[in-house]
Coordinates of all heavy atoms in Angstrom, one line a residue:
L28 N -69.5 -35.5 -4.2 CA -68.4 -35.3 -3.2 C -67.4 -34.4 -3.9 O -67.0 -34.5 -5.0 CB -67.8 -36.7 -2.9 CG -66.7 -36.6 -1.8 CD1 -67.3 -36.2 -0.5 CD2 -66.1 -38.0 -1.7
F29 N -66.9 -33.4 -3.1 CA -66.0 -32.4 -3.6 C -64.8 -32.5 -2.6 O -64.9 -32.4 -1.4 CB -66.6 -31.1 -3.5 CG -65.7 -29.9 -4.0 CD1 -65.1 -30.0 -5.2 CD2 -65.6 -28.8 -3.2 CE1 -64.3 -28.9 -5.6 CE2 -64.8 -27.8 -3.6 CZ -64.1 -27.8 -4.9
Y30 N -63.6 -32.8 -3.2 CA -62.4 -32.8 -2.4 C -61.4 -31.7 -2.8 O -61.3 -31.4 -4.0 CB -61.7 -34.2 -2.6 CG -60.3 -34.2 -2.0 CD1 -60.1 -34.6 -0.7 CD2 -59.2 -33.9 -2.8 CE1 -58.8 -34.6 -0.1 CE2 -57.9 -34.0 -2.3 CZ -57.7 -34.3 -0.9 OH -56.5 -34.3 -0.4
F31 N -60.9 -31.0 -1.8 CA -59.9 -30.0 -2.1 C -58.8 -29.8 -1.1 O -59.0 -30.2 0.1 CB -60.5 -28.6 -2.5 CG -61.5 -28.1 -1.5 CD1 -61.2 -26.9 -0.8 CD2 -62.8 -28.6 -1.3 CE1 -62.1 -26.3 0.0 CE2 -63.7 -28.1 -0.5 CZ -63.4 -26.9 0.2
D32 N -57.7 -29.3 -1.5 CA -56.5 -29.2 -0.7 C -56.0 -27.7 -0.9 O -55.7 -27.3 -2.0 CB -55.5 -30.2 -1.3 CG -54.2 -30.2 -0.6 OD1 -53.7 -29.1 -0.1 OD2 -53.5 -31.2 -0.7
L33 N -55.9 -27.0 0.2 CA -55.6 -25.5 0.1 C -54.4 -25.2 1.0 O -54.3 -25.8 2.1 CB -56.8 -24.7 0.6 CG -58.1 -24.9 -0.2 CD1 -59.2 -24.2 0.6 CD2 -58.0 -24.4 -1.6
K34 N -53.6 -24.2 0.6 CA -52.6 -23.7 1.5 C -53.2 -23.1 2.7 O -54.1 -22.2 2.6 CB -51.7 -22.7 0.8 CG -50.6 -23.4 -0.1 CD -49.7 -22.3 -0.6 CE -48.4 -22.8 -1.2 NZ -47.5 -23.2 -0.3
S35 N -52.7 -23.4 3.9 CA -53.2 -22.8 5.1 C -52.4 -21.5 5.4 O -51.2 -21.4 5.1 CB -52.9 -23.8 6.3 OG -53.1 -23.1 7.5
A36 N -53.0 -20.6 6.1 CA -52.3 -19.3 6.5 C -51.3 -19.6 7.6 O -50.5 -18.8 7.9 CB -53.4 -18.3 7.1
D37 N -51.2 -20.9 8.1 CA -50.2 -21.2 9.0 C -48.9 -21.7 8.3 O -47.9 -21.9 9.0 CB -50.6 -22.4 9.9 CG -51.8 -21.9 10.9 OD1 -51.8 -20.7 11.2 OD2 -52.6 -22.8 11.2
D38 N -48.9 -21.8 7.0 CA -47.7 -22.2 6.2 C -46.6 -21.2 6.4 O -46.8 -19.9 6.5 CB -48.1 -22.2 4.8 CG -47.1 -22.9 3.9 OD1 -46.0 -22.3 3.6 OD2 -47.3 -24.1 3.5
S39 N -45.4 -21.6 6.5 CA -44.2 -20.8 6.7 C -44.0 -19.7 5.5 O -43.4 -18.7 5.7 CB -42.9 -21.6 6.7 OG -42.9 -22.3 7.9
E40 N -44.6 -20.0 4.4 CA -44.4 -19.1 3.2 C -45.5 -18.0 3.3 O -45.4 -17.0 2.5 CB -44.5 -19.8 1.9 CG -43.3 -20.7 1.7 CD -43.3 -21.4 0.3 OE1 -44.3 -21.2 -0.4 OE2 -42.3 -22.0 0.0
F41 N -46.4 -18.0 4.2 CA -47.4 -17.0 4.4 C -46.7 -15.6 4.7 O -45.8 -15.6 5.6 CB -48.4 -17.3 5.5 CG -49.4 -16.2 5.7 CD1 -50.5 -16.1 4.9 CD2 -49.2 -15.2 6.7 CE1 -51.4 -15.1 5.1 CE2 -50.1 -14.2 6.9 CZ -51.3 -14.1 6.1
G42 N -47.0 -14.6 3.9 CA -46.4 -13.3 4.1 C -45.1 -13.1 3.3 O -44.5 -12.0 3.4
V43 N -44.6 -14.1 2.6 CA -43.3 -14.0 1.9 C -43.7 -13.6 0.4 O -44.5 -14.1 -0.2 CB -42.6 -15.4 1.8 CG1 -41.3 -15.3 1.0 CG2 -42.2 -15.8 3.3
G44 N -42.9 -12.6 -0.1 CA -43.2 -12.1 -1.4 C -44.0 -10.8 -1.4 O -44.4 -10.3 -0.3
E45 N -44.3 -10.3 -2.5 CA -45.1 -9.1 -2.6 C -46.6 -9.4 -2.4 O -47.1 -10.3 -3.0 CB -44.9 -8.5 -4.0 CG -45.7 -7.2 -4.3 CD -45.6 -6.8 -5.7 OE1 -44.7 -7.2 -6.4 OE2 -46.5 -6.0 -6.1
E46 N -47.2 -8.6 -1.5 CA -48.6 -8.9 -1.3 C -49.5 -8.3 -2.4 O -49.4 -7.2 -2.8 CB -49.1 -8.2 0.1 CG -50.5 -8.6 0.5 CD -50.8 -8.1 1.9 OE1 -50.2 -7.2 2.4 OE2 -51.8 -8.7 2.4
A47 N -50.3 -9.2 -3.0 CA -51.2 -8.8 -4.1 C -52.5 -8.4 -3.6 O -53.2 -7.5 -4.1 CB -51.3 -10.0 -5.1
E48 N -53.0 -9.1 -2.5 CA -54.2 -8.7 -1.8 C -54.2 -9.5 -0.5 O -53.3 -10.2 -0.2 CB -55.5 -9.1 -2.7 CG -55.7 -10.5 -3.0 CD -56.9 -10.8 -3.8 OE1 -57.2 -10.1 -4.8 OE2 -57.6 -11.7 -3.5
K49 N -55.2 -9.4 0.3 CA -55.3 -10.0 1.6 C -55.0 -11.5 1.4 O -55.7 -12.2 0.6 CB -56.6 -9.8 2.3 CG -56.7 -10.4 3.7 CD -58.0 -10.1 4.3 CE -58.1 -10.7 5.7 NZ -59.3 -10.5 6.3
N50 N -54.0 -12.0 2.2 CA -53.6 -13.4 2.2 C -53.1 -14.0 0.9 O -53.1 -15.2 0.7 CB -54.8 -14.3 2.7 CG -55.3 -13.9 4.1 OD1 -54.5 -13.5 4.9 ND2 -56.5 -14.1 4.4
T51 N -52.7 -13.1 0.0 CA -52.3 -13.5 -1.4 C -51.0 -12.8 -1.7 O -50.8 -11.6 -1.5 CB -53.3 -13.1 -2.4 OG1 -54.6 -13.6 -2.1 CG2 -53.0 -13.6 -3.8
F52 N -50.0 -13.6 -2.1 CA -48.6 -13.1 -2.3 C -48.1 -13.6 -3.6 O -48.3 -14.8 -4.1 CB -47.7 -13.6 -1.2 CG -48.2 -13.1 0.2 CD1 -49.1 -13.9 0.9 CD2 -47.9 -11.9 0.7 CE1 -49.6 -13.5 2.1 CE2 -48.4 -11.4 1.9 CZ -49.3 -12.2 2.6
V53 N -47.2 -12.8 -4.3 CA -46.5 -13.2 -5.5 C -45.2 -13.8 -5.1 O -44.4 -13.1 -4.3 CB -46.3 -12.0 -6.4 CG1 -45.5 -12.4 -7.7 CG2 -47.6 -11.3 -6.8
V54 N -44.9 -15.0 -5.5 CA -43.6 -15.7 -5.1 C -42.5 -14.9 -5.8 O -42.5 -14.6 -7.0 CB -43.6 -17.1 -5.6 CG1 -42.3 -17.8 -5.3 CG2 -44.8 -17.9 -5.0
G55 N -41.5 -14.6 -5.0 CA -40.4 -13.7 -5.5 C -39.2 -14.5 -6.1 O -38.4 -13.9 -6.8
D56 N -39.0 -15.8 -5.8 CA -37.9 -16.5 -6.3 C -38.2 -18.0 -6.4 O -39.3 -18.4 -6.1 CB -36.6 -16.2 -5.4 CG -36.8 -16.6 -4.0 OD1 -37.8 -17.3 -3.7 OD2 -36.0 -16.3 -3.2
G57 N -37.2 -18.7 -6.9 CA -37.3 -20.2 -7.0 C -38.1 -20.5 -8.3 O -38.4 -19.7 -9.1
F58 N -38.4 -21.8 -8.4 CA -39.1 -22.3 -9.6 C -40.5 -21.8 -9.7 O -41.1 -21.9 -10.8 CB -39.0 -23.8 -9.7 CG -39.9 -24.6 -8.7 CD1 -41.2 -24.9 -9.0 CD2 -39.4 -24.9 -7.4 CE1 -41.9 -25.6 -8.1 CE2 -40.2 -25.5 -6.5 CZ -41.4 -25.9 -6.8
E59 N -41.1 -21.3 -8.6 CA -42.5 -20.7 -8.7 C -42.5 -19.2 -8.8 O -43.5 -18.5 -8.6 CB -43.3 -21.1 -7.4 CG -43.5 -22.6 -7.4 CD -44.4 -23.0 -6.2 OE1 -44.2 -22.4 -5.1 OE2 -45.1 -24.0 -6.3
K60 N -41.3 -18.6 -9.1 CA -41.2 -17.2 -9.2 C -42.3 -16.6 -10.1 O -42.5 -17.0 -11.2 CB -39.8 -16.8 -9.7 CG -39.6 -15.3 -9.8 CD -38.2 -14.9 -10.3 CE -38.0 -13.4 -10.3 NZ -36.7 -13.1 -10.7
G61 N -42.9 -15.5 -9.6 CA -44.0 -14.8 -10.3 C -45.4 -15.4 -10.1 O -46.4 -14.8 -10.5
L62 N -45.5 -16.6 -9.6 CA -46.8 -17.2 -9.4 C -47.5 -16.6 -8.2 O -46.8 -16.2 -7.2 CB -46.7 -18.7 -9.1 CG -46.2 -19.6 -10.3 CD1 -46.1 -21.0 -9.9 CD2 -47.1 -19.4 -11.5
I63 N -48.8 -16.6 -8.2 CA -49.6 -16.0 -7.1 C -50.1 -17.2 -6.2 O -50.6 -18.2 -6.8 CB -50.8 -15.2 -7.7 CG1 -50.2 -14.0 -8.4 CG2 -51.7 -14.8 -6.5 CD1 -51.3 -13.2 -9.2
Q64 N -49.9 -17.0 -4.9 CA -50.3 -18.0 -4.0 C -51.3 -17.4 -3.0 O -50.9 -16.4 -2.4 CB -49.1 -18.7 -3.3 CG -48.3 -19.5 -4.2 CD -47.2 -20.2 -3.5 OE1 -46.8 -19.9 -2.4 NE2 -46.7 -21.3 -4.1
H65 N -52.4 -18.0 -2.7 CA -53.3 -17.6 -1.7 C -53.3 -18.5 -0.5 O -53.2 -19.8 -0.7 CB -54.8 -17.5 -2.3 CG -55.7 -16.9 -1.3 ND1 -55.8 -15.5 -1.2 CD2 -56.6 -17.5 -0.5 CE1 -56.7 -15.3 -0.2 NE2 -57.2 -16.4 0.2
F66 N -53.3 -18.0 0.7 CA -53.3 -18.8 1.9 C -54.6 -18.6 2.6 O -55.1 -17.5 2.8 CB -52.1 -18.3 2.8 CG -50.8 -18.5 2.1 CD1 -50.3 -17.6 1.2 CD2 -50.0 -19.6 2.4 CE1 -49.1 -17.7 0.6 CE2 -48.7 -19.8 1.8 CZ -48.3 -18.8 0.9
F67 N -55.2 -19.7 3.1 CA -56.5 -19.7 3.6 C -56.6 -19.9 5.1 O -56.2 -21.0 5.6 CB -57.4 -20.8 3.0 CG -57.6 -20.6 1.5 CD1 -56.7 -21.0 0.6 CD2 -58.8 -20.0 1.1 CE1 -56.9 -20.8 -0.8 CE2 -59.0 -19.8 -0.3 CZ -58.1 -20.2 -1.2
P68 N -57.1 -18.9 5.9 CA -57.5 -19.2 7.3 C -58.8 -20.0 7.3 O -59.5 -20.0 6.3 CB -57.6 -17.8 7.9 CG -57.9 -16.9 6.8 CD -57.3 -17.5 5.5
L69 N -59.0 -20.7 8.4 CA -60.2 -21.6 8.5 C -61.5 -20.9 8.2 O -62.4 -21.4 7.5 CB -60.2 -22.3 9.8 CG -61.4 -23.3 10.0 CD1 -61.3 -24.4 8.9 CD2 -61.3 -23.9 11.4
D70 N -61.6 -19.7 8.7 CA -62.9 -19.0 8.5 C -63.1 -18.7 7.0 O -64.3 -18.7 6.6 CB -63.0 -17.7 9.3 CG -61.9 -16.7 9.0 OD1 -60.8 -17.1 8.5 OD2 -62.1 -15.5 9.2
E71 N -62.1 -18.5 6.3 CA -62.3 -18.2 4.8 C -62.7 -19.5 4.1 O -63.4 -19.5 3.1 CB -61.0 -17.6 4.2 CG -61.2 -17.3 2.8 CD -59.9 -16.6 2.2 OE1 -58.9 -16.3 2.9 OE2 -60.0 -16.3 1.0
V72 N -62.1 -20.7 4.6 CA -62.5 -21.9 4.0 C -64.0 -22.1 4.1 O -64.7 -22.5 3.2 CB -61.7 -23.1 4.7 CG1 -62.3 -24.4 4.2 CG2 -60.2 -23.0 4.4
H73 N -64.5 -21.9 5.3 CA -66.0 -22.1 5.6 C -66.8 -21.0 4.8 O -67.8 -21.4 4.2 CB -66.3 -22.0 7.1 CG -65.9 -23.2 7.8 ND1 -66.5 -24.4 7.7 CD2 -64.9 -23.4 8.7 CE1 -65.9 -25.3 8.5 NE2 -65.0 -24.7 9.1
E74 N -66.3 -19.8 4.7 CA -66.9 -18.8 3.9 C -67.0 -19.2 2.4 O -68.1 -19.0 1.8 CB -66.2 -17.5 4.0 CG -66.8 -16.3 3.4 CD -65.9 -15.0 3.5 OE1 -65.5 -14.8 4.6 OE2 -65.7 -14.3 2.5
L75 N -66.0 -19.8 1.9 CA -66.0 -20.2 0.5 C -67.1 -21.3 0.2 O -67.7 -21.3 -0.8 CB -64.6 -20.7 0.0 CG -63.6 -19.6 -0.2 CD1 -62.2 -20.3 -0.4 CD2 -63.9 -18.8 -1.4
M76 N -67.2 -22.2 1.2 CA -68.2 -23.3 1.0 C -69.6 -22.7 1.1 O -70.5 -23.2 0.4 CB -67.9 -24.4 2.0 CG -66.7 -25.2 1.7 SD -66.6 -26.7 2.7 CE -66.0 -26.0 4.3
G77 N -69.8 -21.7 1.9 CA -71.0 -21.0 2.1 C -72.2 -22.0 2.2 O -72.1 -22.9 3.0
Q78 N -73.2 -21.7 1.5 CA -74.5 -22.5 1.6 C -74.5 -23.6 0.5 O -75.4 -24.3 0.4 CB -75.7 -21.6 1.4 CG -75.8 -20.5 2.4 CD -75.9 -21.1 3.8 OE1 -76.7 -22.0 4.1 NE2 -75.2 -20.5 4.8
L79 N -73.4 -23.6 -0.3 CA -73.4 -24.6 -1.5 C -72.8 -26.0 -1.0 O -73.2 -27.0 -1.6 CB -72.5 -24.1 -2.6 CG -73.0 -22.8 -3.3 CD1 -72.0 -22.3 -4.3 CD2 -74.3 -23.1 -3.9
F80 N -71.9 -26.0 -0.1 CA -71.3 -27.2 0.3 C -71.3 -27.4 1.8 O -71.1 -26.5 2.6 CB -69.8 -27.3 -0.1 CG -69.6 -27.3 -1.6 CD1 -69.4 -26.2 -2.3 CD2 -69.8 -28.5 -2.3 CE1 -69.3 -26.2 -3.7 CE2 -69.6 -28.6 -3.7 CZ -69.4 -27.4 -4.4
R81 N -71.5 -28.7 2.2 CA -71.5 -29.0 3.7 C -70.2 -29.8 3.9 O -70.0 -30.8 3.3 CB -72.7 -29.9 4.0 CG -72.8 -30.2 5.5 CD -74.1 -31.0 5.8 NE -74.2 -32.2 5.1 CZ -73.7 -33.4 5.5 NH1 -73.0 -33.4 6.7 NH2 -73.8 -34.5 4.9
P82 N -69.4 -29.3 4.8 CA -68.1 -30.0 5.0 C -68.4 -31.4 5.7 O -69.2 -31.5 6.6 CB -67.3 -29.1 6.0 CG -68.3 -28.2 6.6 CD -69.5 -28.1 5.6
L83 N -67.7 -32.4 5.2 CA -67.7 -33.7 5.8 C -66.5 -34.0 6.6 O -66.5 -34.8 7.5 CB -67.9 -34.8 4.7 CG -69.1 -34.7 3.8 CD1 -69.0 -35.7 2.6 CD2 -70.4 -34.9 4.6
Y84 N -65.4 -33.4 6.1 CA -64.1 -33.7 6.7 C -63.2 -32.4 6.5 O -63.1 -32.0 5.4 CB -63.5 -34.9 6.0 CG -62.1 -35.3 6.4 CD1 -61.9 -36.1 7.5 CD2 -61.0 -34.9 5.6 CE1 -60.7 -36.4 7.9 CE2 -59.7 -35.3 6.0 CZ -59.6 -36.1 7.2 OH -58.3 -36.4 7.5
V85 N -62.7 -31.9 7.6 CA -61.7 -30.8 7.5 C -60.5 -31.1 8.4 O -60.7 -31.4 9.6 CB -62.4 -29.5 8.0 CG1 -61.4 -28.3 7.9 CG2 -63.6 -29.1 7.1
E86 N -59.4 -31.1 7.8 CA -58.2 -31.5 8.6 C -57.0 -30.6 8.2 O -56.9 -30.2 7.0 CB -57.8 -32.9 8.3 CG -56.5 -33.4 8.8 CD -56.1 -34.8 8.4 OE1 -56.7 -35.7 8.9 OE2 -55.3 -34.9 7.5
T87 N -56.1 -30.3 9.1 CA -54.9 -29.6 8.7 C -53.8 -30.7 8.6 O -53.8 -31.6 9.4 CB -54.5 -28.6 9.8 OG1 -54.3 -29.2 11.0 CG2 -55.4 -27.4 9.8
H88 N -53.0 -30.5 7.6 CA -51.8 -31.4 7.5 C -50.6 -30.5 7.4 O -50.5 -29.7 6.5 CB -52.0 -32.2 6.2 CG -50.8 -33.1 5.9 ND1 -50.6 -33.7 4.7 CD2 -49.8 -33.5 6.7 CE1 -49.5 -34.4 4.7 NE2 -49.0 -34.3 6.0
D89 N -49.8 -30.6 8.4 CA -48.6 -29.8 8.4 C -47.4 -30.7 8.7 O -47.5 -31.6 9.5 CB -48.6 -28.6 9.3 CG -49.6 -28.7 10.4 OD1 -50.7 -28.3 10.2 OD2 -49.2 -29.1 11.5
H90 N -46.3 -30.3 8.1 CA -45.0 -31.0 8.4 C -43.9 -30.0 8.3 O -43.9 -29.1 7.6 CB -44.8 -32.3 7.6 CG -44.7 -32.0 6.1 ND1 -45.8 -31.9 5.3 CD2 -43.7 -31.9 5.3 CE1 -45.5 -31.7 4.1 NE2 -44.2 -31.7 4.0
R91 N -42.9 -30.3 9.1 CA -41.7 -29.4 9.2 C -40.6 -30.0 8.3 O -40.5 -31.2 8.2 CB -41.2 -29.2 10.6 CG -42.3 -28.5 11.4 CD -41.8 -28.0 12.7 NE -42.8 -27.2 13.4 CZ -43.0 -25.9 13.3 NH1 -42.2 -25.2 12.5 NH2 -44.0 -25.3 13.9
L92 N -39.8 -29.1 7.7 CA -38.8 -29.5 6.8 C -37.4 -29.4 7.4 O -37.0 -28.5 8.1 CB -38.8 -28.5 5.6 CG -40.2 -28.4 4.8 CD1 -40.2 -27.4 3.8 CD2 -40.5 -29.8 4.2
A93 N -36.6 -30.4 7.0 CA -35.2 -30.5 7.5 C -34.4 -29.4 6.7 O -34.9 -28.9 5.7 CB -34.7 -31.9 7.1
P94 N -33.3 -29.0 7.1 CA -32.5 -29.6 8.2 C -32.8 -29.1 9.6 O -32.6 -29.8 10.6 CB -31.1 -29.2 7.8 CG -31.2 -27.9 7.2 CD -32.5 -27.9 6.4
D95 N -33.4 -27.9 9.7 CA -33.6 -27.4 11.1 C -35.0 -27.5 11.6 O -35.3 -27.1 12.7 CB -33.0 -26.0 11.2 CG -33.7 -25.0 10.2 OD1 -34.7 -25.4 9.5 OD2 -33.3 -23.9 10.2
F96 N -35.9 -27.9 10.7 CA -37.3 -28.1 11.0 C -38.0 -26.8 11.5 O -39.0 -26.8 12.2 CB -37.5 -29.2 12.1 CG -37.0 -30.5 11.6 CD1 -35.7 -30.9 12.1 CD2 -37.6 -31.3 10.7 CE1 -35.2 -32.1 11.6 CE2 -37.1 -32.5 10.2 CZ -35.9 -32.9 10.7
T97 N -37.6 -25.6 11.0 CA -38.2 -24.4 11.3 C -39.2 -24.0 10.2 O -40.2 -23.3 10.5 CB -37.2 -23.2 11.4 OG1 -36.4 -23.1 10.2 CG2 -36.3 -23.5 12.6
R98 N -39.0 -24.5 9.0 CA -40.0 -24.2 7.9 C -41.1 -25.3 8.0 O -40.9 -26.4 8.2 CB -39.4 -24.3 6.5 CG -38.5 -23.1 6.3 CD -38.0 -23.1 4.8 NE -39.0 -23.3 3.9 CZ -38.9 -24.1 2.8 NH1 -37.9 -24.8 2.6 NH2 -39.9 -24.2 2.0
M99 N -42.4 -24.8 7.8 CA -43.5 -25.7 7.9 C -44.4 -25.5 6.7 O -44.7 -24.4 6.3 CB -44.3 -25.4 9.2 CG -45.5 -26.3 9.3 SD -46.4 -26.2 10.9 CE -47.1 -24.6 10.7
I100 N -44.8 -26.7 6.1 CA -45.8 -26.7 5.0 C -47.1 -27.0 5.7 O -47.2 -28.0 6.5 CB -45.4 -27.8 4.0 CG1 -44.2 -27.4 3.3 CG2 -46.6 -27.9 3.0 CD1 -43.6 -28.4 2.3
A101 N -48.1 -26.2 5.5 CA -49.4 -26.4 6.2 C -50.5 -26.3 5.1 O -50.6 -25.4 4.3 CB -49.6 -25.3 7.3
R102 N -51.4 -27.3 5.1 CA -52.4 -27.4 4.1 C -53.8 -27.8 4.8 O -53.8 -28.5 5.8 CB -52.1 -28.4 3.1 CG -50.7 -28.3 2.6 CD -50.4 -28.4 1.1 NE -51.4 -28.2 0.2 CZ -51.3 -27.2 -0.8 NH1 -50.4 -26.4 -0.7 NH2 -52.2 -27.1 -1.7
W103 N -54.9 -27.3 4.2 CA -56.2 -27.8 4.6 C -56.6 -28.9 3.7 O -56.4 -28.8 2.5 CB -57.2 -26.7 4.4 CG -57.1 -25.5 5.4 CD1 -56.6 -24.3 5.1 CD2 -57.3 -25.6 6.8 NE1 -56.6 -23.5 6.3 CE2 -57.0 -24.3 7.3 CE3 -57.8 -26.6 7.7 CZ2 -57.2 -24.0 8.7 CZ3 -58.0 -26.3 9.0 CH2 -57.7 -25.0 9.5
I104 N -57.0 -30.0 4.2 CA -57.5 -31.1 3.5 C -59.1 -31.2 3.8 O -59.5 -31.3 4.9 CB -56.9 -32.5 3.9 CG1 -55.4 -32.3 3.9 CG2 -57.4 -33.6 3.0 CD1 -54.7 -32.0 2.6
I105 N -59.9 -31.1 2.7 CA -61.3 -30.9 2.9 C -62.1 -31.8 2.0 O -61.8 -31.9 0.8 CB -61.7 -29.4 2.7 CG1 -60.9 -28.5 3.7 CG2 -63.2 -29.2 2.9 CD1 -60.7 -27.2 3.1
A106 N -63.1 -32.4 2.5 CA -64.1 -33.2 1.7 C -65.5 -32.6 2.1 O -65.8 -32.3 3.3 CB -64.1 -34.7 2.0
A107 N -66.2 -32.3 1.1 CA -67.6 -31.7 1.3 C -68.5 -32.3 0.3 O -68.2 -32.8 -0.7 CB -67.5 -30.2 1.1
E108 N -69.8 -32.1 0.6 CA -70.8 -32.5 -0.4 C -71.8 -31.3 -0.6 O -71.9 -30.4 0.2 CB -71.6 -33.7 0.2 CG -72.5 -33.4 1.4 CD -73.2 -34.6 1.9 OE1 -73.1 -35.7 1.3 OE2 -73.9 -34.5 2.9
K109 N -72.4 -31.4 -1.8 CA -73.3 -30.3 -2.2 C -74.5 -30.3 -1.3 O -75.0 -31.4 -1.0 CB -73.7 -30.4 -3.7 CG -74.4 -29.2 -4.2 CD -74.6 -29.4 -5.7 CE -75.3 -28.1 -6.2 NZ -75.5 -28.1 -7.6
C110 N -74.9 -29.1 -0.8 CA -76.1 -29.0 0.0 C -77.4 -29.3 -0.8 O -77.5 -29.1 -1.9 CB -76.2 -27.6 0.7 SG -74.9 -27.4 1.8

């Protein structure tokens, strides 16, 4: 069983910072400044699993942040097994 948790391309931070490559950005400030973050659309999640893993469970988990609830953290929660 393989469990993983990935940033979704629906996350509010998608597109923020310098673009390093497609769906990948360098954080420009804060405690993660300089770190590279990749954001995954669902089709890329399936592409990564390819023929090696069969998804058992795929869910999006998103929640909005106070005070105005305009920022959203969005993640893929995935469980898969080896084919």
Side-chain angles (χ1 to χ4, degrees):
L28 185 64
F29 181 54
Y30 169 84
F31 52 113
D32 177 334
L33 304 168
K34 278 187 166 283
S35 168
D37 293 331
D38 193 283
S39 292
E40 291 185 355
F41 178 81
V43 176
E45 179 185 342
E46 187 172 21
E48 62 180 47
K49 184 179 178 182
N50 299 331
T51 306
F52 302 89
V53 179
V54 178
D56 58 9
F58 69 94
E59 294 183 327
K60 182 177 180 174
L62 294 180
I63 296 172
Q64 294 186 338
H65 186 80
F66 298 82
F67 294 84
L69 183 58
D70 61 332
E71 187 176 356
V72 171
H73 286 292
E74 183 181 315
L75 285 172
M76 287 191 283
Q78 301 300 315
L79 296 176
F80 294 97
R81 182 175 63 84
L83 301 172
Y84 177 82
V85 178
E86 172 185 284
T87 57
H88 178 195
D89 23 271
H90 61 277
R91 297 197 175 266
L92 302 173
D95 59 5
F96 301 101
T97 58
R98 287 187 50 226
M99 181 174 69
I100 295 173
R102 311 223 25 118
W103 290 109
I104 310 299
I105 301 151
E108 67 182 357
K109 192 171 179 179
C110 292

